[in-house]
Amino acid sequence: MKLHALCASAVALALVSTPAKAELDNPTVKFIVRGTMALVVNIMCDSYEQPDGSVRSYADRLGVDFETYGPATFNGMRAQINGMKYDREALIPEVTRVVAATMDVMDKASKPWPAKKAQWCKYYGGIIVDETGMLKVKGISPKAKGDL
């Protein structure tokens, strides 16, 4: 009887301590995809920079929990790059899969590199600048909402 109770306790403890599968809603997926794009463009393209607080502001605008999904996106991206250090505790498998898929699409679109670099940077950078505000063109102030 003691063994049965011990096994039941172990199963109950495992169920309680196992994190529930994260369900990613549309705004969260959008944040992860656009956040990944912004990170890649910021690294690969010299003509863009990231305004302070812009990623958090974009998460706030979408209603996404930045404290959870910001680090998960950043570390999910770092996990995709061989030899790069990342915080395993910050990873969320569903986020990492979205990051990997986004990076794969961007990588395929960059071929042949560097011949397509300027076109690639302009395309992906334009999306991030126009839709999210997470990046801006260096030397140009971002437009305020309502500016024409």
Side-chain angles (χ1 to χ4, degrees):
M1 187 65 165
K2 287 183 181 181
L3 183 59
H4 185 285
L6 182 62
C7 288
S9 295
V11 169
L13 181 61
L15 290 173
V16 169
S17 63
T18 303
K21 182 179 176 187
E23 287 201 28
L24 302 176
D25 58 14
N26 288 337
T28 303
V29 171
K30 186 174 183 177
F31 172 77
I32 296 164
V33 169
R34 296 299 195 243
T36 300
M37 290 169 63
L39 286 167
V40 172
V41 169
N42 197 30
I43 291 167
M44 302 301 293
C45 306
D46 297 332
S47 56
Y48 296 95
E49 61 188 354
Q50 189 173 55
D52 290 339
S54 60
V55 178
R56 182 181 298 273
S57 177
Y58 183 63
D60 291 345
R61 196 167 59 221
L62 292 174
V64 172
D65 176 11
F66 177 80
E67 299 302 325
T68 298
Y69 294 106
T73 300
F74 178 74
N75 284 285
M77 183 183 150
R78 292 177 66 93
Q80 303 308 307
I81 302 168
N82 289 333
M84 186 156 284
K85 294 182 182 194
Y86 59 91
D87 180 0
R88 193 165 195 279
E89 296 296 316
L91 296 177
I92 299 170
E94 293 78 11
V95 172
T96 303
R97 286 192 287 273
V98 172
V99 168
T102 303
M103 289 178 71
D104 187 50
V105 168
M106 293 177 80
D107 181 55
K108 287 178 180 164
S110 72
K111 306 300 184 213
W113 192 273
K116 281 182 118 177
K117 183 176 181 178
Q119 178 185 359
W120 186 93
C121 287
K122 185 176 181 178
Y123 176 76
Y124 283 105
I127 291 170
I128 299 306
V129 169
D130 293 343
E131 291 185 18
T132 72
M134 287 191 284
L135 294 177
K136 68 174 190 162
V137 177
K138 284 184 179 176
I140 298 176
S141 297
K143 292 181 190 175
K145 292 287 183 192
D147 285 354
L148 297 177

